[in-house]
Amino acid sequence: MLKSKTFVRKTRSGGVMKIVREHYLRDDIWCGSEVCTECKQESTVLQRDACIESNLCSYPHYVIPDTNVVLHQIDVLEDPVIRNVIILQTVLQEVRHRSAPVYKRLKDMIHEKEKFFYAFTNEHHRETFIEREPGESANDRNDRAIRVAAKWYSQHLKTSESDADGLKVVLLTNDQGNKQKAEESGLLVYKCEEYIKSLIGNPELVDRLALSNDDKHDITSSKVLFPEHLPLSKIQAGIKSGAFVQGTFRASRDNYLEATVFVQGDGEESTEILIQGLQNLNRAVYQDVVAVQLLPQNQWVAPSSVVLQDEGAAKDDEEEKEEEDEEKALRISAAEAARKPTGKVVGIIKRNWRPFCGMLNISQIKESTRHLFTPADRRIPRIRIETRQASTLAGQRIMVAIDGWPKHSRYPNGHFVRSLGNAGEKDTEQEVLLLEHDVPHQDFSQAVLSFLPKMPWTITPEDMARREDLRNLTVCSVDPPGCTDIDDALHCRELDSGNLEVGVHIADVSHFIRPGNAMDREAANRGTTVYLCGKRIDMVPELLSSNLCSLRSNVERLAFSCIWEMNHKAEILKTRFTKSVINSKASLTYAEAQMRIDDTTKNDDITKSLRGLNKLAKILKRQRIEKGALTLSSLEVRFHIDSETHDPIDLQTKELMETNSMVEEFMLLANISVAQKIYDEFPDCAMLRKHPAPPPSNYDILLKAAKSKDVEIHTDTAKALADSLDVARVDGFPYFNTLLRILATRCMMQAVYFCSGMDSDFHHYGLASPIYTHFTSPIRRYADIIVHRLLAVAIAADSTYPDLMDKQKQSALANNLNYRHKMSQYAQRASVAFHTQLFFKSRGILNEEGFVLFVRKNAIIVLIPKFGLEGTVFFDAKDKAGPKLVFDEEGPTLNVEQHTFRIFDKVKVTISLDASNIQHQKIRMSLIDPVIPGVSVPAPDVEPQAKKLKLDR
């Protein structure tokens, strides 16, 4: 049956266009229930025995939630206890428009077999479709559609000639009007909270309920603590008139009474507005989009250097004395310094709340069910939650979601989502780390896995016909030890002409991952593989990453090859790209490849190929450095993990070999060659990577550090910086050059992906290359898959698709990839930090030599080269009078009593783990040498021999 809807719309040119929408109604949409004998359905979702222990609904029943219940109580619906739920198409469509994250979670539940969630297409069912009546709002029409569908279900199940004794349908809604109308039409209807509280067999579900507006007043005091937020209409008018500005709220890690609002200006211009004090912060939470009103200039303040953590017992809504003192301390310390534009938050444009990881502070009041939750991220305020299982949750890492922040409440109100496990345990901490850095790490869904090739997989004759057969070439791969996701392989051979042929062969991942399918969407969302200590979170399923795409030795694999003809001076004479089939002759580690090159008795084809590559790589590197490419330094740490306990038993910095550099040179060359090719073919939609030059002020610390040792550094161009770093030497201080390069790395900007049609500056500062992209790691980076697709279209090896040529979509994709890459780097650092803590936990107190990297007002930051570890030595103590400190920003130098500290000074420190705050464990450092009376500590005894023996086994 066909329904059609006709309406007219005005066009841009002023004409009128008639639009006819056709809406098909069908008789073959089944109810999905096991008890039904009327519907001709092949498979069912909803169970016959839909029982759950409830003192409201003692009979078997299916649940139909309305849209608001799904949006606000998704945490409850996700609980394994809640099953046999009918999700109406009306609800699904509304949720999709209102919240993408909730929609994804809902879709996942519908796909999960054990949940028995059934999506019923009520909008296309002949008996449940309703038209909007004149004068009826869209919202009211949708509420009516939900009631009509619920009514149809209860009648439909009654008429089933089966033993459906007593199977009923329960509608859940928190809308009073909707509930009343449902009751009038004879439906079984409850408020969500009523229903959840009735499930006497599962009282823990109550903790997961999000607070409704009625409850929010219970928890708060009567006293108004914060100014009212302005409504959106006033905010928009204020932004338009210039009275307010819109920006992103960025809370401070070190000071809970201070934040900045980042305001994006036109082009590259952006400004920051300082916010200080609880009233002015006005309930904004990190990453919210807020409206800010600037204060008059005489009320502007300077950023505070005071560290203030919101710790200890709950600061009650009535007790403001302590906070007033803390706010005063901010202003006193800020009076002398430079003032910054300062403002106050007047309204919230968009909340950016997510579930937060952290721990519960158990209330001191006996039998209390209200407790404060402290998030792991210090930028998030503490959250007040209600729970009856506090004693169980003490000492566990848990997740909590914010429900709201009323103006009467000192803290936001929230609800318990789930427990992650005991704090301090490796698996728990790893889970926290992934969640806090927003790293997608759930198992791949069935929808994604369904697009994997069927095993056993072989290369078909059709594949061979479309590719170049390079199986006879002496191709080999060189990777770190234990690498299973081998993206790249190389070959080098002499041609009859006397020139050399060099090939870089990259796994052909885009052959397996086709545009737009579930596996492609998942990889695009993940953006990158994340490498933690002892764990890898793959971007693509393991069958591809470690097997079919991995260029392992002695198996035939599909590749995308970039092949150059070069002379012996490493000058490129010809470049070509081709899809190919290869058979790698060896998978080597960097050390094995190095040994082959150095062993003069070896002269086989693989070794000859490696020597040829190594020789050319040295020339390429020299040419690159002459152009001004930077060789910077950062200490990478390697843990030796105990095979049984999986705890770190040794920690050392990674050493790099010639072969690391050899592989790197050819990867860079391939990336540059491909970048040029895809940009020539697609000037508007090439996915490229750029590295902006740092603003001159970034180099201040580097220049000061060099000056303190009478060394001059030039930073006008990358070449000037590279040259001056090469000659920076200090007699008797061999490590000086490495320290300078480590500092120079800190001055750099982040490299980013971008779409060529949306930008004009392509330059890569660090590589001194006018154009660059990523082509060589498609197993672990999604950007490379896009680049493969562009290159394949450019050489007519594959067909194009609309999104690939859409610069707006490419640009949005690049933004997501930049975000995922940044978060993955932070997650990797956090993982190293956690494993470093585990290492020092078993070591007691160690003493080591280090160098001062930075000098602060009350501390020095020390780098321990042996462990690649940074730590802070504080000179002021909270509980006792500290030494006399004089800080000079020009140097920068710090006088502690009679001793002056400068950057790069050599010091000796003790290193130990401070586990007093289980959620924020830190590496503590104390000064041994130089000896400053009352400040430095005596050197600890070397660790006992027994412990050593145990670790050496």
Side-chain angles (χ1 to χ4, degrees):
M1 179 178 160
L2 185 66
K3 290 251 176 192
S4 65
K5 201 185 214 176
T6 310
F7 54 96
V8 288
R9 198 159 83 198
K10 231 177 173 183
T11 62
R12 269 190 183 162
S13 56
V16 171
M17 190 160 76
K18 183 177 176 186
I19 293 174
V20 179
R21 285 247 169 96
E22 294 183 337
H23 191 87
Y24 288 88
L25 298 183
R26 307 170 56 146
D27 298 318
D28 59 352
I29 293 170
W30 314 128
C31 72
S33 171
E34 264 182 7
V35 303
C36 178
T37 50
E38 288 190 12
C39 293
K40 301 176 182 63
Q41 47 204 358
E42 285 174 17
S43 63
T44 56
V45 174
L46 302 161
Q47 294 171 292
R48 174 184 299 274
D49 178 23
C51 288
I52 185 168
E53 202 178 340
S54 161
N55 58 15
L56 273 182
C57 317
S58 51
Y59 35 80
H61 60 275
Y62 299 151
V63 170
I64 299 183
D66 76 357
T67 309
N68 282 327
V69 168
V70 172
L71 284 169
H72 297 124
Q73 305 296 354
I74 188 80
D75 289 325
V76 173
L77 293 175
E78 277 180 334
D79 195 284
V81 170
I82 305 294
R83 292 150 50 151
N84 293 298
V85 175
I86 298 164
I87 301 293
L88 301 176
Q89 183 188 3
T90 312
V91 171
L92 206 53
Q93 284 171 343
E94 276 197 290
V95 169
R96 185 181 178 185
H97 288 136
R98 286 173 56 186
S99 170
V102 174
Y103 177 70
K104 184 180 184 307
R105 288 163 74 181
L106 189 58
K107 290 286 280 188
D108 288 346
M109 285 192 276
I110 292 168
H111 288 306
E112 199 180 315
K113 286 194 172 67
E114 291 76 56
K115 288 288 285 173
F116 306 104
F117 270 50
Y118 182 63
F120 178 65
T121 321
N122 63 310
E123 296 288 357
H124 289 276
H125 191 291
R126 191 199 290 267
E127 292 176 41
T128 57
F129 170 74
I130 58 162
E131 300 220 37
R132 190 164 153 190
E133 289 172 353
E136 187 177 35
S137 74
N139 211 14
D140 289 346
R141 181 257 167 219
N142 287 345
D143 282 347
R144 188 161 60 89
I146 292 168
R147 293 195 300 274
V148 166
K151 186 86 178 158
W152 176 85
Y153 251 106
S154 52
Q155 287 168 345
H156 176 78
L157 292 174
K158 258 185 210 152
T159 54
S160 285
E161 301 162 23
S162 64
D163 54 355
D165 17 71
L167 182 66
K168 296 190 166 67
V169 173
V170 174
L171 176 64
L172 296 186
T173 178
N174 288 331
D175 178 329
Q176 200 50 50
N178 194 14
K179 184 170 185 275
Q180 212 171 332
K181 285 178 180 158
E183 282 165 345
E184 284 162 11
S185 61
L187 285 169
L188 261 175
V189 56
Y190 293 110
K191 281 192 158 182
C192 182
E193 194 181 323
E194 272 181 289
Y195 177 75
I196 296 301
K197 285 182 175 169
S198 80
L199 304 178
I200 43 182
N202 300 89
E204 75 285 351
L205 267 181
V206 177
D207 287 354
R208 299 185 74 167
L209 273 172
L211 296 178
S212 66
N213 282 337
D214 315 342
D215 310 336
K216 285 179 188 169
H217 301 300
D218 301 353
I219 294 190
T220 58
S221 68
S222 53
K223 189 173 175 199
V224 176
L225 297 176
F226 294 100
E228 187 84 67
H229 284 153
L230 297 179
L232 214 50
S233 55
K234 277 197 178 160
I235 290 174
Q236 283 163 340
I239 289 173
K240 207 170 181 181
S241 70
F244 307 146
V245 289
Q246 172 178 331
T248 308
F249 184 85
R250 294 186 176 168
S252 159
R253 255 179 229 281
D254 300 321
N255 189 335
Y256 76 101
L257 293 175
E258 187 169 281
T260 51
V261 171
F262 179 81
V263 181
Q264 185 66 56
D266 300 332
E268 296 291 300
E269 287 305 300
S270 56
T271 51
E272 281 191 346
I273 297 170
L274 190 64
I275 316 280
Q276 254 186 24
L278 273 183
Q279 298 274 312
N280 293 340
L281 295 170
N282 199 2
R283 298 170 284 154
V285 176
Y286 179 64
Q287 293 290 29
D288 284 350
V289 180
V290 297
V292 173
Q293 181 176 13
L294 273 173
L295 297 173
Q297 208 152 341
N298 61 355
Q299 292 177 33
W300 285 11
V301 292
S304 159
S305 56
V306 179
V307 174
L308 278 180
Q309 304 294 358
D310 183 11
E311 288 171 337
K315 295 191 171 75
D316 233 331
D317 302 330
E318 313 294 337
E319 293 170 23
E320 291 168 34
K321 179 81 186 84
E322 189 185 336
E323 264 166 11
E324 278 174 17
D325 294 346
E326 288 184 342
E327 292 194 19
K328 231 176 254 161
L330 289 193
R331 287 196 265 290
I332 294 165
S333 69
E336 315 86 56
R339 293 162 183 261
K340 281 203 159 166
T342 308
K344 60 178 183 184
V345 173
V346 292
I348 308 288
I349 296 166
K350 180 173 180 275
R351 287 289 193 192
N352 252 333
W353 294 342
R354 58 180 173 85
F356 301 106
C357 302
M359 292 180 76
L360 210 53
N361 288 24
I362 308 294
S363 167
Q364 301 304 306
I365 305 163
K366 218 172 174 208
E367 303 297 311
S368 171
T369 57
R370 289 181 187 157
H371 305 274
L372 270 189
F373 161 84
T374 305
D377 186 339
R378 289 189 185 275
R379 295 169 299 195
I380 306 297
R382 296 199 280 174
I383 302 164
R384 194 177 266 140
I385 69 165
E386 270 210 47
T387 174
R388 285 154 195 77
Q389 39 181 341
S391 52
T392 321
L393 298 177
Q396 293 194 359
R397 292 277 205 166
I398 63 171
M399 282 183 89
V400 163
I402 300 181
D403 299 321
W405 195 342
K407 61 185 181 201
H408 310 89
S409 171
R410 167 65 182 78
Y411 298 105
N413 297 323
H415 66 273
F416 167 74
V417 177
R418 65 190 172 104
S419 169
L420 301 169
N422 292 329
E425 284 181 7
K426 208 176 322 174
D427 290 348
T428 307
E429 297 305 324
Q430 198 147 276
E431 179 73 4
V432 169
L433 191 148
L434 293 168
L435 289 165
E436 282 300 292
H437 291 95
D438 196 12
V439 173
H441 60 287
Q442 63 283 20
D443 292 340
F444 289 103
S445 68
Q446 280 311 118
V448 169
L449 299 175
S450 69
F451 286 98
L452 287 171
K454 303 286 167 273
M455 296 302 282
W457 174 84
T458 50
I459 297 174
T460 63
E462 297 90 82
D463 290 332
M464 287 303 294
R466 282 197 291 257
R467 292 171 179 268
E468 204 167 319
D469 187 349
L470 304 178
R471 290 174 296 183
N472 60 322
L473 292 179
T474 309
V475 172
C476 67
S477 63
V478 186
D479 288 284
C483 176
T484 59
D485 50 346
I486 303 171
D487 286 289
D488 52 89
L490 300 153
H491 88 270
C492 172
R493 62 173 181 172
E494 197 155 332
L495 298 171
D496 299 338
S497 62
N499 289 331
L500 296 168
E501 179 188 82
V502 176
V504 165
H505 311 276
I506 305 297
D508 190 2
V509 182
S510 63
H511 171 84
F512 296 96
I513 299 184
R514 302 310 296 163
N517 71 22
M519 186 152 56
D520 182 48
R521 291 197 304 274
E522 181 65 28
N525 176 40
R526 291 185 179 216
T528 176
T529 291
V530 180
Y531 296 90
L532 305 179
C533 303
K535 185 180 171 87
R536 185 179 87 199
I537 289 120
D538 281 325
M539 178 182 84
V540 298
E542 197 177 6
L543 177 66
L544 294 183
S545 67
S546 295
N547 186 351
L548 302 185
C549 291
S550 185
L551 304 181
R552 307 190 304 193
S553 53
N554 304 313
V555 285
E556 292 180 0
R557 287 288 177 260
L558 303 179
F560 208 151
S561 301
C562 170
I563 299 169
W564 303 279
E565 186 177 328
M566 292 181 172
N567 60 22
H568 287 267
K569 292 184 194 158
E571 291 164 343
I572 298 171
L573 309 172
K574 264 194 216 134
T575 307
R576 66 189 183 89
F577 306 99
T578 178
K579 291 253 183 167
S580 61
V581 179
I582 64 164
N583 187 330
S584 168
K585 305 297 180 271
S587 306
L588 306 172
T589 65
Y590 291 119
E592 287 166 350
Q594 192 65 53
M595 274 157 36
R596 277 180 180 258
I597 291 169
D598 298 341
D599 184 349
T600 48
T601 61
K602 281 203 183 301
N603 226 356
D604 55 282
D605 286 351
I606 294 171
T607 308
K608 280 200 280 202
S609 175
L610 286 169
R611 284 189 189 130
L613 289 164
N614 198 33
K615 204 167 145 193
L616 290 169
K618 286 178 178 171
I619 302 171
L620 288 169
K621 185 168 187 175
R622 197 177 63 239
Q623 289 172 351
R624 227 167 32 83
I625 287 170
E626 278 166 10
K627 275 197 217 142
L630 296 171
T631 317
L632 298 176
S633 183
S634 65
L635 290 177
E636 281 201 59
V637 177
R638 208 189 178 93
F639 290 97
H640 290 261
I641 304 280
D642 184 305
S643 56
E644 289 168 26
T645 64
H646 300 292
D647 284 339
I649 49 175
D650 195 11
L651 172 69
Q652 63 194 52
T653 48
K654 293 182 186 173
E655 71 175 303
L656 297 177
M657 305 183 185
E658 248 184 30
T659 42
N660 288 73
S661 176
M662 174 187 88
V663 173
E664 185 187 10
E665 285 309 317
F666 287 107
M667 297 305 117
L668 293 175
L669 192 61
N671 286 335
I672 293 167
S673 300
V674 170
Q676 197 55 60
K677 176 74 177 171
I678 61 172
Y679 177 61
D680 291 345
E681 291 285 334
F682 308 110
D684 262 0
C685 57
M687 174 74 76
L688 300 177
R689 187 165 176 81
K690 67 172 181 172
H691 182 210
S697 60
N698 276 30
Y699 286 125
D700 286 353
I701 191 70
L702 178 71
L703 299 175
K704 283 178 180 175
K707 195 176 165 195
S708 72
K709 296 281 183 239
D710 295 326
V711 169
E712 210 175 337
I713 297 285
H714 299 283
T715 57
D716 324 337
T717 63
K719 172 122 182 77
L721 175 61
D723 291 348
S724 48
L725 282 173
D726 281 344
V727 296
R729 296 272 179 274
V730 171
D731 292 340
F733 190 177
Y735 201 64
F736 172 73
N737 192 271
T738 309
L739 284 171
L740 262 192
R741 289 181 195 274
I742 289 171
L743 264 194
T745 308
R746 309 282 170 95
C747 303
M748 294 300 147
M749 307 288 283
Q750 275 270 327
V752 288
Y753 296 111
F754 67 101
C755 171
S756 59
M758 306 289 278
D759 211 320
S760 53
D761 172 27
F762 293 6
H763 193 75
H764 196 294
Y765 181 79
L767 297 172
S769 174
I771 192 165
Y772 192 64
T773 193
H774 272 162
F775 162 75
T776 55
S777 294
I779 297 178
R780 59 187 179 88
R781 289 188 306 230
Y782 188 76
D784 304 51
I785 294 180
I786 293 293
V787 169
H788 276 228
R789 288 175 181 165
L790 287 162
L791 184 62
V793 177
I795 63 166
D798 205 342
S799 50
T800 183
Y801 59 101
D803 283 6
L804 194 63
M805 300 296 145
D806 182 331
K807 65 179 182 181
Q808 244 55 44
K809 289 214 167 120
Q810 286 284 54
S811 193
L813 175 61
N815 290 341
N816 179 53
L817 296 179
N818 291 330
Y819 169 70
R820 290 289 189 215
H821 274 259
K822 186 170 75 180
M823 285 323 221
S824 112
Q825 280 179 324
Y826 290 164
Q828 282 159 352
R829 280 181 212 161
S831 177
V832 168
F834 174 66
H835 277 74
T836 306
Q837 288 170 7
L838 281 183
F839 172 76
F840 283 106
K841 195 176 188 174
S842 62
R843 288 306 161 103
I845 299 178
L846 298 182
N847 46 350
E848 293 293 343
E849 286 195 342
F851 298 98
V852 176
L853 256 197
F854 298 104
V855 179
R856 299 274 184 256
K857 275 184 183 171
N858 59 345
I860 52 174
I861 317 264
V862 176
L863 174 77
I864 312 290
K866 179 177 170 185
F867 299 136
L869 174 74
E870 264 174 61
T872 309
V873 177
F874 285 102
F875 293 119
D876 52 356
K878 277 184 186 171
D879 43 2
K880 60 176 200 269
K884 182 167 172 269
L885 303 179
V886 182
F887 177 69
D888 173 14
E889 211 162 317
E890 274 315 293
T893 62
L894 177 65
N895 276 16
V896 182
E897 296 295 346
Q898 305 305 311
H899 186 88
T900 304
F901 285 101
R902 291 183 175 80
I903 296 182
F904 297 163
D905 280 359
K906 198 171 191 176
V907 292
K908 209 169 199 176
V909 293
T910 68
I911 311 171
S912 60
L913 180 68
D914 171 8
S916 56
N917 178 339
I918 191 162
Q919 180 155 246
H920 296 115
Q921 299 192 17
K922 307 185 195 66
I923 299 289
R924 280 259 176 247
M925 289 192 183
S926 304
L927 193 67
I928 301 175
D929 189 55
V931 176
I932 303 173
V935 175
S936 44
V937 297
D941 297 331
V942 181
E943 53 180 289
Q945 199 58 36
K947 201 162 195 181
K948 265 214 147 95
L949 289 172
K950 190 176 163 205
L951 288 163
D952 289 341
R953 60 144 204 256

